[in-house]
Amino acid sequence: AKSIVRTQTHIEAEYSKTWSKNSDYIIKRKPHAVKWSYGERLMSNLEEKHRILNELSFWIDILKPKSVLEVGSGSGFNLKILSERYPISFQGLELTEAGAKSSEFNIQGSMLAMSFPDNSFDLVFSVTAIEQLPRDYLEAFGEVYRVTRGYAVFIERFKEGQNLFQRLIMKKRDFFRHSYKEVKKVGFEIISFSPLPFTKQKCRFCVLVCKKS
């Protein structure tokens, strides 16, 4: 298959199509093979989302933010679920018009140039949004640093969590494939880093928790 060059135009076209689908798109996607430390089994996209939301909930419980921003919020699925559990302020920033219109939490905008003032949110998080920025990721990290007044949680495909096969796929697909330590370049202090205890064939998600210094 031909290698992809991931540009802003490519991202907008791909995800405009994705978020124009029905709201139950996430639930209806076919299960995919996931490898655990004790073997391999099929896991639905909804179960994967559940596990990622559990991780976000764990850190919200610890950090106790009053205001939360998700960058690259897509259909607003994460924010809808989290808002049902936590009586705090949630906001989503979504690149595509289709995604922005699909959720009451979303506004349209780019994580490379956010319209929010400095120190607007107690916590900013992303779930596989930075992966779309193989070259501009430092701009995104810098904008997250600017708008958070406290913490950031990135659930992304950081280099340290991938095997050789996964790194080759990420290169061919032109995804972000750099070290979690890159966030230090914009001023973040690293609190915690760990790969999630499951891996897809093509990638493994990692959780990076940072504090504004």
Side-chain angles (χ1 to χ4, degrees):
K2 187 177 179 180
S3 296
I4 291 172
V5 177
R6 203 162 289 276
T7 64
Q8 189 90 340
T9 301
H10 174 92
I11 296 166
E12 287 194 58
E14 180 179 348
Y15 284 92
S16 290
K17 183 178 180 181
T18 297
W19 305 132
S20 294
K21 296 181 180 180
N22 295 331
S23 58
D24 59 355
Y25 165 72
I26 290 172
I27 298 174
K28 288 186 174 181
R29 282 180 63 185
K30 293 180 180 179
H32 48 264
V34 172
K35 195 170 292 185
W36 298 74
S37 56
Y38 49 82
E40 183 174 322
R41 70 176 181 83
L42 287 178
M43 181 168 72
S44 70
N45 195 64
L46 189 61
E47 183 181 351
E48 176 192 311
K49 279 284 187 183
H50 175 73
R51 293 184 177 277
I52 288 173
L53 284 162
N54 277 349
E55 189 69 27
L56 290 168
S57 295
F58 173 80
W59 285 105
I60 289 175
D61 288 339
I62 289 176
L63 301 175
K64 303 187 185 310
K66 300 298 183 186
S67 57
V68 177
L69 170 70
E70 180 181 11
V71 294
S73 49
S75 66
F77 182 87
N78 295 328
L79 299 174
K80 177 176 173 55
I81 301 302
L82 291 171
S83 69
E84 292 174 358
R85 178 171 183 179
Y86 298 100
I88 59 178
S89 172
F90 287 97
Q91 176 78 71
L93 182 72
E94 167 55 31
L95 179 65
T96 68
E97 182 180 1
K101 288 182 176 179
S102 67
S103 170
E104 61 183 303
F105 298 100
N106 283 351
I107 65 169
Q108 188 174 6
S110 170
M111 71 180 81
L112 299 178
M114 300 189 211
S115 60
F116 308 112
D118 296 358
N119 305 308
S120 291
F121 302 93
D122 295 325
L123 172 66
V124 180
F125 76 88
S126 73
V127 179
T128 63
I130 303 296
E131 73 171 15
Q132 301 295 330
L133 302 172
R135 286 162 288 279
D136 299 329
Y137 59 92
L138 284 178
E139 291 179 49
F141 286 147
E143 277 291 271
V144 172
Y145 185 88
R146 182 182 67 79
V147 303
T148 185
R149 69 172 65 95
Y151 299 93
V153 175
F154 300 103
I155 300 180
E156 300 287 346
R157 306 177 184 190
F158 292 104
K159 180 178 72 174
E160 289 81 358
Q162 317 305 316
N163 60 34
L164 178 59
F165 174 70
Q166 290 166 332
R167 291 185 188 186
L168 289 172
I169 289 178
M170 289 165 65
K171 182 177 181 181
K172 189 174 185 64
R173 298 281 297 171
D174 199 27
F175 283 125
F176 168 85
R177 48 193 178 273
H178 302 279
S179 171
Y180 70 92
K181 296 177 183 178
E182 291 290 293
V183 296
K184 291 182 177 181
K185 294 180 179 178
V186 302
F188 275 120
E189 173 188 343
I190 294 171
I191 295 175
S192 172
F193 173 79
S194 61
L196 289 175
F198 63 87
T199 177
K200 294 181 178 180
Q201 182 182 13
K202 295 181 179 180
C203 71
R204 186 173 192 175
F205 299 134
C206 305
V207 183
L208 172 64
V209 184
C210 309
K211 182 179 180 180
K212 190 169 188 173
S213 56

